[in-house]
Amino acid sequence: MASADVDALLVTRMPNIFYLSGFTGSTAGIIVTSNDCYILVDPRYSIQARTECTHAHVIDYAGVSLMKAAADLINDLRPKHLGFESEHLTVSNLRELRRCVNRETRLRSTHRLIEKLRQVKDAHEIGLIRRACEIADHAFESVLSEIKPGMTEKDVATLVDFTLRRLGADKEAFETIVACGPNSACPHATPSNTVLEPGQLVKLDFGARYLGYNSDLTRTICLGEPDEMEIEIHRVVLEAQQAAIEAIKPGKSGQVIDRIAREHIASQGYGDNFSHGLGHQLGIETHDGPGLSQKSDLVLQPGNVLTVEPGIYIEGWGGLRIEDDVLVTDTGAEILTSSPRNL
Ligand code: GLY
Ligand code: MN
Ligand code: MN
């Protein structure tokens, strides 16, 4: 806040509110000053906020908007400069705030202040991500013995989601992806009523959410014996992933790690078939911040948690991706997911 020259900060983005306070409801606002943290909640969340947010002053509001309630508190606290989250506060909320906040307080836009804090995970957060990864690994092992030709992609997705929760997930990290045969050429395919056939590739991309933190795992399996092309593409993707993971260490840039995987895939003739970034940060959100990509500005630090997920996608044929989650350590990378990577 000092670096942004604000003496109070209004936080409205829910993942940031959870990070600062532990609040898990769906609507709230937080005001942070140099000494205090206030969380504003409506009556649906009064009891919950008092239970979850033991380090914040809980302020109930009713009969007015969140912005009006925030402005009333700001007018009591009288900061000189109030920061707001420029990527999140809507134009209409900013207008309402301007209308209701006294003129002695100036409003200032801030840029990803809390998101930057979230990029380096502490031991507690890493423990929760480890557990989310374990649950995803166990779920993969469990569903592997149950997937068979004749099921639809939706059947498999339902099985994955049920298994994640049965094994301890609070919920899915994101909408589970199951895509078979040519459908797997879409990196983020939506599970459909397509029936799985013998010999097909099936791409499974799913994760567990555990106490607010996520895992993100992709495995591509073959319903029978893979053919030569499937074996070759699997080899190229796995080599790209291994080379990238081996190169991860503090001080390296996200762009450089992406390039290592991208150049390997290109050297094997599939340069036009790896269409997305190599990975993203992982934490309270599945996409938790800039990661490993051609446009990333990330310089790796110990405590970053990232996915490494190269893939090759060929329209009409299908797609194959391998995704694991890694922790950046003082000397390199620790892989947090452990499901077998063979085809
Ligand atoms: N399924 C989201 C991702 O892997 O990024
Ligand atoms: Mn994924
Ligand atoms: Mn991912």
Side-chain angles (χ1 to χ4, degrees), residues 51-94:
T51 310
E52 291 178 338
C53 312
T54 49
H55 300 287
H57 304 285
V58 178
I59 300 196
D60 300 295
Y61 69 92
V64 295
S65 68
L66 174 57
M67 288 306 111
K68 175 71 172 71
D72 289 345
L73 176 60
I74 292 157
N75 291 338
D76 286 342
L77 296 171
R78 304 171 61 181
K80 248 173 91 180
H81 294 117
L82 173 77
F84 61 89
E85 295 172 295
S86 58
E87 272 103 354
H88 185 262
L89 195 71
T90 64
V91 174
S92 62
N93 278 347
L94 179 59

Side-chain angles (χ1 to χ4, degrees), residues 142-187:
S142 170
V143 300
L144 205 50
S145 61
E146 296 185 62
I147 297 174
K148 15 177 137 33
M151 295 170 83
T152 67
E153 292 172 346
K154 279 188 192 168
D155 290 336
V156 177
T158 305
L159 176 66
V160 169
D161 293 352
F162 175 77
T163 306
L164 285 168
R165 292 190 190 214
R166 182 169 61 76
L167 294 175
D170 296 324
K171 60 187 290 192
E172 306 75 44
F174 51 88
E175 280 192 26
T176 294
I177 296 169
V178 177
C180 67
N183 293 353
S184 58
C186 296

